[in-house]
Amino acid sequence: MSKEEQHTLKIYNTLSAEKELFVPIHDGTVGMYVCGPTVYSHVHLGNVRTFMSFDMIYRYLTHLGFKVRYVRNITDAGHLTDDGSVENDRFVKQSRLEKLEPMEVVQKYTVYFHATLEKFNLLPPTIEPTATGHIIEQIELAQKLIDLGLAYESQGSVYFDVAAYNQKGLNYGELNNRNVEELLANTRDLDGQNEKKNPQDFALWKNASPAHIMRWNSPWGEGFPGWHLECTAMSTKYLGTQFDIHGGGMDLKFPHHECEIAQGKGCNGIAPVKYWMHANMLTLNGLRMSKSSGNYVLPHELMEGTSALFEKAFLPFGS
């Protein structure tokens, strides 16, 4: 495939809300990061749909002749449903429910995830880092943001200072076209808000209560990383301070990807990503497929014919 043919590719960039000519940062190579699963439970078909979308993009970029470094992480720690208490940690909840150690939960559902994507004939990424394997990088990143005046420690936790970020002429909310006033109006009353300077500030590192099982030493005491920080640390380590494509489901645009932009710009003074790509949600019964609503189908139910929604089984690739 010639360079001329490579450069006729256009991508819909969520950041600009326009189709843009794809021009990689480094000629002939592409760095792509996709937010991977949080391995506390089975992935459902909606999750698989997102990974299938980016598998197609990965294959097509390779078909065009690009050398692609495709990084897709595993979130195996620190995924709070909000910035509040340990009761909102999905791994802790599941470990109590199944009477397993948290890392047993991680192993069980990581194996299921890999086996599921293999049945759908998806290619593995070139790098698949885990959050727990990059605790040092996350602590260093949080400390750098503190040193730059963009984060602060409070009661053993570290929070990103959104007001300080905007005072530097940056724009928290740019990906979602939202301003701080809108964010304030839509901020829920969460546990831990009394630790923050402002409600819209988000956790980079959380102090571990005595009940929290997954914990690591840090300059601020024992704790665990914030979900948003994990992806910035891993994407930066393997793709650099700016890379070509960041992908994920539409549900990650806010706050997760918004926070990643702020962390990257705050630390390195440059937009971390050129092209933001988001896969839309799979719907079921006219509603978004999700575990929280109970409106979902698991891949093995589709393949075994055990879902009441289907009259027969749909065999996986190669069966």
Side-chain angles (χ1 to χ4, degrees):
M1 189 72 64
S2 69
K3 290 183 179 179
E4 289 74 18
E5 288 173 307
Q6 286 181 352
H7 292 171
T8 59
L9 175 64
K10 288 189 175 182
I11 287 177
Y12 181 85
N13 189 352
T14 308
L15 186 62
S16 64
E18 293 181 354
K19 284 185 180 179
E20 298 180 11
L21 185 67
F22 178 67
V23 180
I25 297 167
H26 303 290
D27 191 37
T29 65
V30 176
M32 182 170 75
Y33 185 91
V34 174
C35 289
T38 301
V39 285
Y40 71 98
S41 185
H42 298 99
V43 288
H44 57 65
L45 285 179
N47 304 136
V48 172
R49 185 264 174 90
T50 295
F51 301 125
M52 190 177 292
S53 297
F54 287 98
D55 179 75
M56 181 185 69
I57 292 166
Y58 175 37
R59 289 171 185 267
Y60 188 63
L61 289 168
T62 303
H63 168 71
L64 290 179
F66 290 109
K67 181 179 180 181
V68 184
R69 177 175 288 180
Y70 174 21
V71 182
R72 187 186 67 211
N73 74 296
I74 296 284
T75 297
D76 59 351
H79 193 160
L80 294 175
T81 51
D82 55 48
D83 281 345
S85 72
V86 65
E87 301 302 324
N88 296 314
D89 188 305
R90 291 174 171 176
F91 295 99
V92 174
K93 282 182 176 180
Q94 198 68 20
S95 69
R96 289 173 177 169
L97 182 66
E98 298 196 36
K99 295 181 172 57
L100 297 172
E101 285 292 321
M103 292 312 291
E104 287 182 284
V105 172
V106 166
Q107 181 67 18
K108 174 181 177 179
Y109 293 112
T110 299
V111 169
Y112 177 84
F113 172 69
H114 287 147
T116 298
L117 295 199
E118 187 175 342
K119 287 176 180 176
F120 280 95
N121 197 31
L122 271 60
L123 296 174
T126 50
I127 301 176
E128 190 174 53
T130 64
T132 55
H134 296 77
I135 298 296
I136 292 173
E137 290 86 349
Q138 292 164 66
I139 290 173
E140 290 174 346
L141 185 54
Q143 186 61 59
K144 184 176 181 181
L145 287 166
I146 291 174
D147 295 342
L148 290 168
L150 291 171
Y152 56 91
E153 184 272 337
S154 176
Q155 300 179 42
S157 295
V158 178
Y159 293 96
F160 188 92
D161 192 332
V162 171
Y165 178 78
N166 284 343
Q167 285 167 7
K168 289 182 178 287
L170 301 168
N171 178 22
Y172 182 74
E174 61 183 289
L175 182 64
N176 293 270
N177 196 28
R178 300 169 74 177
N179 57 40
V180 172
E181 288 72 25
E182 288 177 308
L183 297 172
L184 277 169
N186 290 295
T187 299
R188 293 171 293 164
D189 185 16
L190 306 176
D191 294 335
Q193 290 287 14
N194 62 331
E195 296 179 356
K196 302 180 183 183
K197 290 182 180 179
N198 296 292
Q200 71 270 23
D201 295 347
F202 58 88
L204 302 173
W205 184 266
K206 286 293 290 183
N207 178 47
S209 71
H212 204 283
I213 306 167
M214 301 178 82
R215 55 204 297 146
W216 291 266
N217 290 322
S218 80
W220 317 288
E222 288 192 338
F224 54 96
W227 174 36
H228 314 309
L229 188 70
E230 295 172 351
C231 281
T232 294
M234 290 184 281
S235 64
T236 300
K237 178 169 183 175
Y238 296 109
L239 296 173
T241 56
Q242 187 180 55
F243 54 94
D244 299 294
I245 296 171
H246 194 314
M250 190 70 74
D251 55 329
L252 299 182
K253 279 179 61 183
F254 187 87
H256 186 49
H257 290 163
E258 197 70 68
C259 294
E260 284 191 65
I261 291 175
Q263 291 165 163
K265 273 191 173 181
C267 256
N268 303 308
I270 187 171
V273 179
K274 282 191 71 177
Y275 305 94
W276 285 91
M277 301 183 73
H278 292 93
N280 214 334
M281 302 293 97
L282 192 64
T283 58
L284 178 66
N285 299 319
L287 300 171
R288 170 191 156 192
M289 190 175 288
S290 74
K291 289 177 189 160
S292 59
S293 65
N295 186 52
Y296 65 90
V297 176
L298 298 178
H300 68 261
E301 294 174 332
L302 178 73
M303 296 170 185
E304 296 164 3
T306 54
S307 171
L309 295 169
F310 300 99
E311 295 180 353
K312 64 176 183 177
F314 291 85
L315 297 179
F317 175 80
S319 297

